[in-house]
Amino acid sequence: MTQDGHSARHVAIIMDGNGRWAKRRHLPRAMGHQRGVEAVRELVRGLGGMGIECLTLYAFSSENWKRPGDEVDDLMNLMRKFVKSDLPEFVANDVKLKIIGDWQGLAPDIVEMLEDALAQTAGGSRTLAVALNYGSQQEIARAAANAAADGEITVESIAAHLDTADLPPLDLLIRTSGEVRLSNFLLWQCAYAEMVFVDTLWPDFTPAHLADALTDFARRERRYGGR
């Protein structure tokens, strides 16, 4: 139990609703994504006071490539700007960056930028894991193939080859915007995670919303299949 009254070590968020946020305001979708980046920034800045070890964010799925090319370009450019502008703050605030997914399949300049960010933040005590070009089914398939190459396929051997193998077990999954589905995100890791679905669109999600979800989590009794 942390000083904040909850026992969650690892929280993951499906950041949904940027497009609807922009549409409701008669703005371009790009403005919704930009405001979504601001929400990420504020959440990371408040991470130290939340009492969690790891925050995992679903930033770009392997299915997002199906979106219009100009929207994908906007998302990639936002990623470049975010890493470049916020890296010094990550280092100063003791935040360790981790990337999950097939991120090395992104543009070469982004890969180089991410590799530099990973190296510069390697000593951080709290982890921000970002899912880029990520799909959970693909992750599980890769892990199973690697487990088979090493020997027997078991629950333990697959888990050891997941992208999140070095992170604490997932305690809480949050999805914004009112949608109630996992969208190919952390399917294996969610086996016994608690889930909170909120109507708030991602650009409007604040550290206070995360605190409320953690309070909800603290009230729950986790039985892991027992009585």
Side-chain angles (χ1 to χ4, degrees):
M1 190 75 69
T2 71
Q3 61 182 6
D4 302 271
H6 66 83
S7 59
R9 298 173 61 201
H10 183 180
V11 177
I13 305 178
I14 299 175
M15 306 180 294
D16 194 17
N18 291 348
R20 273 167 286 170
W21 184 92
K23 185 176 181 180
R24 290 178 185 179
R25 290 161 176 78
H26 307 289
L27 297 170
R29 286 180 67 88
M31 293 297 294
H33 293 312
Q34 288 179 27
R35 184 61 189 86
V37 169
E38 289 297 326
V40 170
R41 185 173 286 122
E42 291 303 313
L43 205 60
V44 173
R45 285 173 177 166
L47 190 58
M50 292 292 175
I52 60 177
E53 296 176 29
C54 178
L55 176 67
T56 298
L57 301 177
Y58 201 10
F60 190 85
S61 77
S62 52
E63 287 75 32
N64 285 159
W65 294 110
K66 300 173 185 176
R67 295 186 178 188
D70 57 348
E71 183 176 356
V72 171
D73 289 343
D74 285 340
L75 289 168
M76 292 297 143
N77 286 329
L78 279 172
M79 190 189 312
R80 291 179 176 97
K81 291 176 182 177
F82 178 75
V83 175
K84 187 178 296 185
S85 64
D86 286 52
L87 181 57
E89 193 169 333
F90 283 12
V91 176
N93 290 322
D94 204 27
V95 174
K96 176 182 180 179
L97 181 66
K98 178 180 174 64
I99 311 296
I100 64 173
D102 187 19
W103 60 275
Q104 292 181 321
L106 299 174
D109 69 301
I110 294 178
V111 172
E112 183 177 355
M113 187 178 293
L114 292 174
E115 287 175 341
D116 178 60
L118 291 170
Q120 288 198 45
T121 63
S125 62
R126 295 184 303 279
T127 300
L128 173 67
V130 181
L132 293 173
N133 200 17
Y134 175 88
S136 187
Q137 292 174 334
Q138 296 90 321
E139 176 196 23
I140 294 169
R142 287 196 308 272
N146 289 330
D150 286 348
E152 185 180 4
I153 300 178
T154 64
V155 169
E156 292 76 18
S157 66
I158 291 175
H161 286 91
L162 294 172
D163 295 353
T164 56
D166 58 339
L167 299 178
L170 182 62
D171 294 303
L172 172 64
L173 176 93
I174 302 167
R175 181 169 186 147
T176 63
S177 87
E179 302 293 346
V180 184
R181 57 178 179 270
L182 296 180
S183 296
N184 201 19
F185 184 54
L186 300 181
L187 302 179
W188 181 286
Q189 296 85 342
C190 279
Y192 283 105
E194 296 296 315
M195 299 183 191
V196 171
F197 298 93
V198 298
D199 291 333
T200 306
L201 300 177
W202 175 249
D204 293 327
F205 192 88
T206 67
H209 290 100
L210 176 55
D212 288 344
L214 289 168
T215 298
D216 184 345
F217 173 85
R219 298 191 189 105
R220 301 188 184 187
E221 181 181 356
R222 304 182 76 191
R223 300 180 182 179
Y224 300 97
R227 298 182 62 182

